[in-house]
Amino acid sequence: MIVIKNIVLREIHMPLREPFKISSGVETMRRILLLHFKTSDGFETWSECVAGALPNYSSEAIDTARIAIKEWLAPKIVGEKIADPVVVHSLLEQDIRGHNMAKAALEMAVWELAAQMRGLPLATVLGGSRSAIATGISLGIQQSPEKLIEKVAGALAQGYRKAKIKIKPGMDVDFVRAVRAALGDDAPLMVDANNAYTLGDIDILQALDDFNLMMIEQPLAWDDIYEHSVLQHQLRTPICLDESITNVAKAKEMFVSGSGKIVNIKPGRVGGFSQALEIHDFCEQADIPVWCGGMLESGVGRAYNVALASLPNFSLPGDVSPSARYWEQDIVTPEWTMDENGMVNVPLAEPGMGVKVDVDRVEDLTVWSEVLGE
């Protein structure tokens, strides 16, 4: 039985090694909401809410998540007797619509606590079957095709198994054409539009068919299913849905309508592990490959993504880059690393998520903190 005694909410500021630019803006510093849990019988863990500073990925932001967790969500589980983590999703859903990232930060931590109490790695508790996972890199929009070629070539030389190229109108076809011409037909490339296009841009999107891409990720509106189906039927390249897939029902809608052929599962986006597992299992049955996307997480959030990505249908390289990709120094030990073949090891040697939080570094980076519960 899990009884959460208290949760410390804490915001830290982590500067990125280099600016990260997508179609909706540029990030140079990441505001991160961490949660530190303690149970009545002495177990503790950390989790991360992946909401950004602004509601430009979804309707959530770090400040709304803080309110949702403090006022509505944490009171549903603090002090309650939780027999199994599978019940937490339903508890958090009662009378609270949306706020998936806030819910996920609570729900996934209960899974981690359960793994510790059972003496098992988090990946094993989730049903993971891999000891290492293939890793891709996400590259922000670059100033020129030449700079993009340099970035992609460097990443593939390091061993990354996939290069995701961020695009937006005016910085798309010519940039991708240049990379494909420079690196050849075998370079594993995909593009991510972050909702920057409409069906009025179909000529541009069809032009991307010429470049043998692994996928085009979420080119149309962030919450759309229908128009993606119109687009997919006019493209050879698979569409991957990201923001649109917020639960397993949306994944089923995508399948029935033919809106896409691949799903990016981000556990924060779908409200935690319970929905992520349902989406994974449905997609496996429907022969839809999935992969795990990233949200510029610290090493804490990365731990949860790595555990999830160890499941069998995560057959495409995920955005689970090593710590050094984004941070001069991470907040976990050991930091996440990648070998020369682009593989990140899944921690299986001890119970839980497999990394420890550097509490001193977290304290140094803390902007504010607040205790919920005893």
Side-chain angles (χ1 to χ4, degrees), residues 223 225 241 244-255:
D223 57 351
I225 298 287
L241 291 188
S244 295
I245 307 301
T246 52
N247 52 50
V248 70
K250 292 295 185 182
K252 292 176 180 178
E253 188 177 345
M254 182 199 85
F255 174 68

Side-chain angles (χ1 to χ4, degrees), residues 46 58 76 84 94 110 190 359:
W46 295 74
S58 72
K76 290 178 175 289
D84 192 290
Q94 291 175 7
V110 179
M190 63 167 285
V359 178

Side-chain angles (χ1 to χ4, degrees), residues 28-280:
T28 58
M29 182 272 294
R30 185 78 167 145
R31 293 176 62 195
I32 295 175
L33 182 60
L34 295 178
L35 291 77
H36 185 197
F37 295 72
K38 292 185 178 179
T39 71
S40 59
D41 49 2
F43 288 92
E44 60 182 281
T45 194
W46 295 74
S47 71
E48 176 175 342
C49 179
V50 298
L54 298 171
N56 56 4
Y57 171 81
S58 72
S59 59
E60 288 184 86
I62 186 172
D63 297 308
T64 65
R66 176 186 182 183
I67 294 169
I69 291 169
K70 176 183 176 181
E71 300 294 336
W72 311 316
L73 298 173
K76 290 178 175 289
I77 62 171
V78 172
E80 299 297 322
K81 294 180 179 180
I82 301 172
D84 192 290
V86 298
V87 307
V88 176
H89 176 75
S90 295
L91 287 174
L92 298 178
E93 284 287 288
Q94 291 175 7
D95 302 319
I96 306 292
R97 295 181 180 178
H99 301 285
N100 280 358
M101 293 177 182
K103 291 173 179 175
L106 296 167
E107 191 254 19
M108 293 194 294
V110 179
W111 282 90
E112 210 280 335
L113 288 168
Q116 288 188 43
M117 295 173 74
R118 296 173 189 176
L120 295 171
L122 178 59
T124 300
V125 170
L126 293 176
S129 60
R130 292 188 175 92
S131 60
I133 55 177
T135 304
I137 191 170
S138 180
L139 296 169
I141 294 170
Q142 303 298 311
Q143 297 176 352
S144 66
E146 293 73 24
K147 186 65 175 177
L148 180 60
I149 291 169
E150 177 186 331
K151 288 284 187 180
V152 175
L156 297 180
Q158 290 177 58
Y160 284 101
R161 307 286 285 270
K162 177 189 74 182
K164 178 163 79 171
I165 299 169
K166 297 286 187 176
I167 60 172
K168 68 177 184 178
M171 305 180 83
D172 41 42
V173 176
D174 290 344
F175 281 64
V176 179
R177 179 185 291 113
V179 174
R180 180 57 80 201
L183 301 183
D185 290 339
D186 294 333
L189 307 178
M190 63 167 285
V191 297
D192 183 7
N194 288 112
N195 334 133
Y197 298 85
T198 70
L199 285 178
D201 301 309
I202 197 162
D203 289 347
I204 295 171
L205 297 168
Q206 286 178 321
L208 295 170
D209 267 341
D210 293 337
F211 305 128
N212 190 32
L213 299 173
M214 297 172 69
M215 67 192 88
I216 301 173
E217 186 177 2
Q218 199 76 32
L220 307 179
W222 69 279
D223 57 351
D224 172 73
I225 298 287
Y226 169 71
E227 289 195 347
H228 278 98
S229 71
V230 175
L231 177 61
Q232 180 66 90
H233 286 99
Q234 298 182 66
L235 293 180
R236 298 189 304 276
T237 307
I239 289 175
C240 169
L241 291 188
D242 174 6
E243 291 95 326
S244 295
I245 307 301
T246 52
N247 52 50
V248 70
K250 292 295 185 182
K252 292 176 180 178
E253 188 177 345
M254 182 199 85
F255 174 68
V256 171
S257 65
S259 302
K261 300 178 180 180
I262 299 170
V263 173
N264 173 353
I265 302 179
K266 295 175 180 173
R269 189 190 71 239
V270 302
F273 283 144
S274 292
Q275 275 298 295
L277 294 174
E278 285 196 38
I279 294 167
H280 168 274

